[in-house]
Amino acid sequence: MEEAGAPHFPFPYQPYPIQEQFMQALYGALEHGKVGIFESPTGTGKSLSLICGALSWLRDHEEKRRQEADRLLQGDGGTSLSISTTTSSSAEPDWITDFVQKKAERDFVSKLKDEELRRKKREEHLEMIRNNSQLKYALKRKSCEDDEAVKLLQLSKDPQEGELNNPEEELIVAEYESDDESKTKNKFCGGDDDDEDDLVEEHITKIYYCSRTHSQLAQFVHEVQKSPFSQDISLVPLGSRQNMCVNEEVRRLGSVQRINDRCMEMQKNKHDQRLKEVEGGKRKRGASKAVCPYVGAQGLQTLRDTVLGAVRDIEQLLSLARETRSCPYYATRLAIPPAQVHTITHTFPSNDYDEAHNLSDVLSCIHSSELTGAQLCRAHSQLAQYSERYRSRLKAKNLMYIKQILFVVERLVRVLGGKCVYVCPVKKTTELLTINNFLFKAQIDNINLFKVQRYFEKSMISRKLCGFIEKYAGTGVTSHTQTSHTQTQTTATMFKQGAAEDRELAASPMMQVEGFFMALTNANTDGRVVLHTQGSVAVSSMKFLLLNPAVHFAQVLKDCRAVIIAGGTMQPVSDFKQELLFSAGVGAERIIEFSCGHVIPPENILPIVLCSGPSGQELEFTFQNRDTPHMMEETGRVLSNLCNVVPGGVVCFFPSYDYSRRILDNWEASGVLARLSSKKKIFQEPKKANQVEKVLNEFSRTIQRCAVDGGTLSGALLFSVVGGKMSEGINFSDELGRCIVMVGMPYPNIKSPELKEKMAYLDKNLPHSGGRSPGQALIENLCMKAVNQSIGRAIRHREDYACIVLCDRRYSRPATLAKLPDWIRAHTHTHTSFGPAFASLRRFFMEKKKQQQL
């Protein structure tokens, strides 16, 4: 029986017990404002549990708010409300205190009434939308009827594209006004704020669902559509202009920067036209500037209502937007205020990010920045030419900031040991500096990088430069530009090289420079700069390394009522909590952890720690002995025996690409590969990411053919690498992954300067516990995170089964076993000799074969 007062979770089918537990824990975390770390293995219905648990809480939370508002409003006639007031002095007369109290009560009740009225109007409006009622809108400003989207979205300030009188007008940076010089501007087009849209409400409780890719978000939206909440929830899928633009002329521009620039310019053109009309100005003669035909207030509002009226993913929304000729990018932005659920991607430049377990690493990655000498030289050369070409048309403030940027870039090149040219031999060194020491070394400590950063953001000089380069690269136009900077004499050559060899580098090196400048504004203690000089300035580099990712997550933790970090594999979580939560000021009392088992029965998984091989050779793949012929040959014997009894697919993970190459070379010379290929067809992880799908398809087809045709081969063997292209995001379910083999322990390279500095930072700033320093714990945790992701590729649904073989005696250590996911650790057996381990494997698959024959 359900406990009295226990939350009810609507579900599209009878949930598993672990899903019930998940939703109960999630509900409690949201209700009490916790930071929850939730681990639920793939195949356990994690997405649907998140949806139904969170939306059940949202439903109950909104109902409680309504009931509380009704109760307080009913007390307006006589019941005294408990409103806290603070007077300037405790000696105030009673009549003043009483007056202040009653005024506060009246103000509070008035606010409640207003909010309740707005809530009812909003709900009625949304209900009309869902019922496909014919809606008519009274636009607020006659003179600005097409500009509501522009107002809400605070569109760009700089002109770029269109049928302009001057073909280069779009490349000129607009007059710059710093924050100190800015004056308060009147609201766009004026207007009465009292006449706001019914759908805008200040206090709507929102749920943000974040994932790495649009395909993952689409899968989440499809789960919402299948849920019992699909008719009652307003969900808006958010994406970039590149993903959501339906204007084919703009889409054909290709690059993200050019699409963004063209879109914002078109909105700016419309903004300028309407602003002139409002101010009574006369339009100058000449060709009109291009505007986007998909951005009109009526169409945007209609599409916005469609977004709010039914749950759709981005692809479904794009299809509808093309039919109605309305912009989905701006329509979804207009839908943000009233929407309850928002889906957004992580725009991280890292393919390693799959689930929440990597959040700390990815925050460090996205807020780190790297520049090569080649990028710096190109950026300097191109900006110098831009400045010289448009010197007479740029305002003094722009020229001043451009000069500062050129100076800083030149100093950065000198730090790498050269000048702004490519051929300049330098010694091979690695140097690690604090931010302040780096600024002193580069002699740019007198430059206010915060102001330079704001100039980058407001002027969008990087994008302007990108357009300049794309317009003139390879045309020879720039070669005629004379400049006082001797370092830019080889610019024409640079442009031609960039166009032919590295289009992206040539097109926008200033983007990377801007990112590096921004990184240097971090606190001195939160980051380091690594200087790598080797051979020449062109191939030398400087990298900003963020040591404290918590500083970029703290605001999220502060602003949100609750934060849920969910993944299929979250273990180990100790460093995650220390680095990302405790360091951001989150107390231990606010953090809850939830980890559930798998939906598979215990007899469907067989995890084994293998301490020795068939000949008795101890398996310990330390740096000292992993390359010995005995160790490599023993590993080959282990794998050969496994292939004798495991049907279907075997996936073998090596700790690194380098070790994979060496051991496979050894096996080819010794005949091990030939013996393995007589039992299973061999595949290797491809070097190029675009070949992964082809290899996986062939791997799958081979296993299917072997299952149907029989013959000498019993399936396929895939060699992969931990942390490689197949260790995350790839499912080896059913016959594709009946056995996952982990060779050795994939410890990171402790000789890496970046990792050494990270360890030193943690040792200095985090408390020591468990007899190990935080730096040592980081090494162990990085290793086990990678292991858990790799072995988690198998067992993807309730009926699936597989064995997991951890080939290294060090896995048997209690501290290491404790870092395995609960659902694997609970069934793990350690075997000191090979015989019993092999017998258990054979028995496991024989029993499965008998079950299938029944």
Side-chain angles (χ1 to χ4, degrees), residues 50-321:
L50 280 167
I51 291 166
C52 294
L55 295 184
S56 293
W57 173 83
L58 183 61
R59 172 203 62 199
D60 294 348
H61 177 72
E62 292 300 313
E63 181 60 29
K64 288 177 184 177
R65 283 180 57 182
R66 283 193 287 270
Q67 291 177 358
E68 180 66 12
D70 290 342
R71 185 186 68 79
L72 292 173
L73 289 173
Q74 288 170 3
D76 187 25
T79 305
S80 177
L81 302 178
S82 177
I83 307 295
S84 173
T85 60
T86 302
T87 59
S88 59
S89 170
S90 59
E92 293 283 4
D94 290 345
W95 68 270
I96 293 182
T97 304
D98 186 53
F99 174 81
V100 172
Q101 174 73 17
K102 287 184 177 180
K103 185 178 186 304
E105 291 176 2
R106 287 195 301 270
D107 291 346
F108 182 69
V109 170
S110 177
K111 183 179 179 182
L112 273 180
K113 286 180 178 179
D114 184 58
E115 288 182 1
E116 185 67 8
L117 179 63
R118 290 166 63 80
R119 180 188 65 78
K120 287 180 179 178
K121 290 176 69 176
R122 170 182 167 272
E123 289 183 351
E124 289 171 1
H125 200 152
L126 289 175
E127 187 62 29
M128 291 175 66
I129 291 170
R130 294 189 179 106
N131 293 332
N132 294 318
S133 297
Q134 196 69 25
L135 298 179
K136 293 184 179 179
Y137 299 96
L139 297 180
K140 294 173 239 180
R141 293 167 292 274
K142 293 180 182 179
S143 60
C144 300
E145 63 180 26
D146 287 335
D147 267 323
E148 184 164 329
V150 182
K151 172 207 168 189
L152 291 173
L153 298 168
Q154 299 178 348
L155 296 173
S156 169
K157 304 175 180 61
D158 60 302
Q160 180 195 318
E161 186 65 19
E163 297 172 279
L164 304 173
N165 293 326
N166 190 315
E168 295 192 4
E169 188 67 32
E170 73 271 16
L171 302 178
I172 308 299
V173 177
E175 183 173 2
Y176 179 69
E177 199 174 57
S178 67
D179 289 347
D180 296 336
E181 299 164 330
S182 296
K183 298 178 181 178
T184 303
K185 304 295 183 184
N186 291 328
K187 288 189 176 181
F188 178 76
C189 289
D192 187 357
D193 288 340
D194 293 335
D195 186 24
E196 292 188 46
D197 197 305
D198 292 342
L199 294 181
V200 178
E201 187 175 340
E202 291 182 7
H203 305 296
I204 295 176
T205 304
K206 295 176 177 292
I207 294 174
Y208 295 89
Y209 182 84
C210 310
S211 193
R212 179 172 62 96
T213 65
H214 284 290
S215 62
Q216 291 169 341
L217 292 177
Q219 182 181 357
F220 173 82
V221 172
H222 295 160
E223 294 288 340
V224 175
Q225 291 171 333
K226 292 187 296 183
S227 79
F229 297 92
S230 61
Q231 301 302 314
D232 306 316
I233 200 73
S234 53
L235 180 150
V236 54
L238 298 175
S240 66
R241 287 181 175 86
Q242 187 182 38
N243 285 303
M244 301 192 80
C245 181
V246 290
N247 187 329
E248 290 302 322
E249 289 185 11
V250 178
R251 287 177 61 86
R252 281 197 293 267
L253 295 175
S255 71
V256 176
Q257 290 82 12
R258 296 191 70 189
I259 289 174
N260 287 341
D261 283 355
R262 184 71 58 86
C263 175
M264 290 189 292
E265 168 58 23
M266 286 180 165
Q267 310 321 312
K268 178 62 166 54
N269 291 342
K270 182 180 290 186
H271 166 74
D272 289 344
Q273 290 174 9
R274 295 305 178 193
L275 194 60
K276 288 178 181 178
E277 292 176 11
V278 170
E279 294 173 349
K282 294 182 179 180
R283 185 179 300 174
K284 294 181 180 180
R285 296 195 174 196
S288 61
K289 297 181 179 181
V291 296
C292 182
Y294 292 85
V295 181
Q298 188 68 49
L300 289 177
Q301 288 176 326
T302 301
L303 186 57
R304 174 199 64 179
D305 291 347
T306 305
V307 170
L308 296 170
V311 175
R312 291 177 174 85
D313 65 21
I314 285 182
E315 288 304 317
Q316 294 166 336
L317 180 58
L318 289 178
S319 178
L320 186 63

Side-chain angles (χ1 to χ4, degrees), residues 418-477:
K419 297 183 179 180
C420 291
V421 292
Y422 279 117
V423 183
C424 185
V426 294
K427 295 181 180 179
K428 187 173 183 179
T429 61
T430 297
E431 188 177 4
L432 215 148
L433 302 164
T434 65
I435 298 175
N436 287 346
N437 286 343
F438 174 76
L439 296 177
F440 290 134
K441 182 180 180 70
Q443 297 179 14
I444 55 174
D445 53 294
N446 61 325
I447 301 293
N448 189 330
L449 291 178
F450 291 95
K451 284 192 173 183
V452 175
Q453 179 189 338
R454 283 196 296 272
Y455 177 75
F456 268 118
E457 293 172 353
K458 290 190 173 185
S459 70
M460 293 193 291
I461 180 65
S462 296
R463 289 179 176 174
K464 296 296 181 183
L465 189 60
C466 174
F468 175 69
I469 301 310
E470 289 182 343
K471 188 176 182 70
Y472 293 117
T475 65
V477 173

Side-chain angles (χ1 to χ4, degrees), residues 719-745:
F719 293 122
S720 190
V721 175
V722 175
K725 302 173 186 67
M726 296 183 174
S727 63
E728 291 197 40
I730 304 294
N731 295 339
F732 294 107
S733 60
D734 300 314
E735 294 297 323
L736 296 185
R738 289 302 183 205
C739 181
I740 304 294
V741 182
M742 179 64 59
V743 176
M745 298 187 73

